[in-house]
Amino acid sequence: MKYARLTKEQLEEMHEEFANFLATQSIDAKEWADIKLNKPEVAEQEIDVFSDLVWEGVLDKVQFLEHFSTNQIHLFHLVEEKMDLIAIRVKNPEIDLLTKEGYQWLQENLMSEDVEFFSASKDYNEDKNLDKFKIVQQGAQITKGVLYDYFKGLIKK
């Protein structure tokens, strides 16, 4: 398995897509029930293959990721050949960006000496979707890039 198995909830949400996936392998509902009962390892393999296909499709389309921690925000723009990063770090240990108050503090104090901005670019390794997935596994969320675009505009000024 290349990525991670979809959760039971995710599989339930994708019930139709999973049924279509099984149908492409000539596995109908009756046969699937038999496989789950009598060959659970085969059923798990099918779920793993389906999970990887879903992840691959999602990762192919991802353009922006955001990762928040108590004192940092990492904003990624995932372009064809590389990933661009804007990082915001708050030096004041009393500010927690994971709270509403901490994030509001950041909004009101962007130009404070307690706020640092960094930007960088990094080429992908051999498998760019795996690079993207690792960032998601570390807690990043897929976004539309609103924050990235906002901070990109600030940095250019």
Side-chain angles (χ1 to χ4, degrees):
M1 166 165 249
K2 185 174 178 180
Y3 300 112
R5 180 178 295 171
L6 298 175
T7 64
K8 183 179 179 183
E9 294 79 16
Q10 290 168 325
L11 282 169
E12 287 171 1
E13 287 180 31
M14 301 191 77
H15 174 77
E16 283 185 41
E17 292 86 349
F18 187 61
N20 290 337
F21 167 77
L22 293 174
T24 64
Q25 299 179 62
S26 303
I27 299 173
D28 61 18
K30 182 181 175 191
E31 187 175 353
W32 177 243
D34 180 60
I35 290 171
K36 287 194 307 185
L37 185 64
N38 298 311
K39 299 178 187 171
E41 68 285 346
V42 173
E44 288 188 16
Q45 289 172 359
E46 292 295 337
I47 292 170
D48 289 349
V49 170
F50 178 72
S51 295
D52 278 349
L53 287 172
V54 169
W55 273 113
E56 197 71 36
V58 168
L59 294 167
D60 278 343
K61 295 175 185 168
V62 169
Q63 293 182 355
F64 296 95
L65 294 172
E66 294 177 1
H67 185 270
F68 281 72
S69 64
T70 56
N71 68 337
Q72 294 186 52
I73 301 173
H74 291 127
L75 307 170
F76 297 90
H77 184 200
L78 309 166
V79 293
E80 188 60 34
E81 64 285 340
K82 63 182 173 148
M83 58 178 89
D84 294 325
L85 167 70
I86 295 174
I88 301 101
R89 183 169 74 101
V90 175
K91 296 189 283 185
N92 182 338
E94 295 177 20
I95 304 301
D96 182 351
L97 295 172
L98 297 176
T99 66
K100 182 180 175 183
E101 298 79 19
Y103 188 71
Q104 185 174 352
W105 180 92
L106 176 64
Q107 290 174 312
E108 295 168 358
N109 295 279
L110 279 176
M111 299 308 158
S112 162
E113 289 184 12
D114 282 333
V115 179
E116 294 179 325
F117 294 92
F118 304 94
S119 62
S121 292
K122 178 184 182 280
D123 291 338
Y124 295 111
N125 293 311
E126 289 182 30
D127 187 337
K128 71 179 172 183
N129 281 351
L130 196 53
D131 290 347
K132 295 174 188 180
F133 182 73
K134 288 176 182 175
I135 297 169
V136 171
Q137 285 293 94
Q138 293 169 2
Q141 302 293 313
I142 297 169
T143 69
K144 296 185 185 298
V146 174
L147 270 181
Y148 181 90
D149 289 339
Y150 175 77
F151 282 105
K152 180 89 172 172
L154 273 183
I155 290 172
K156 282 186 175 181
K157 291 180 180 178

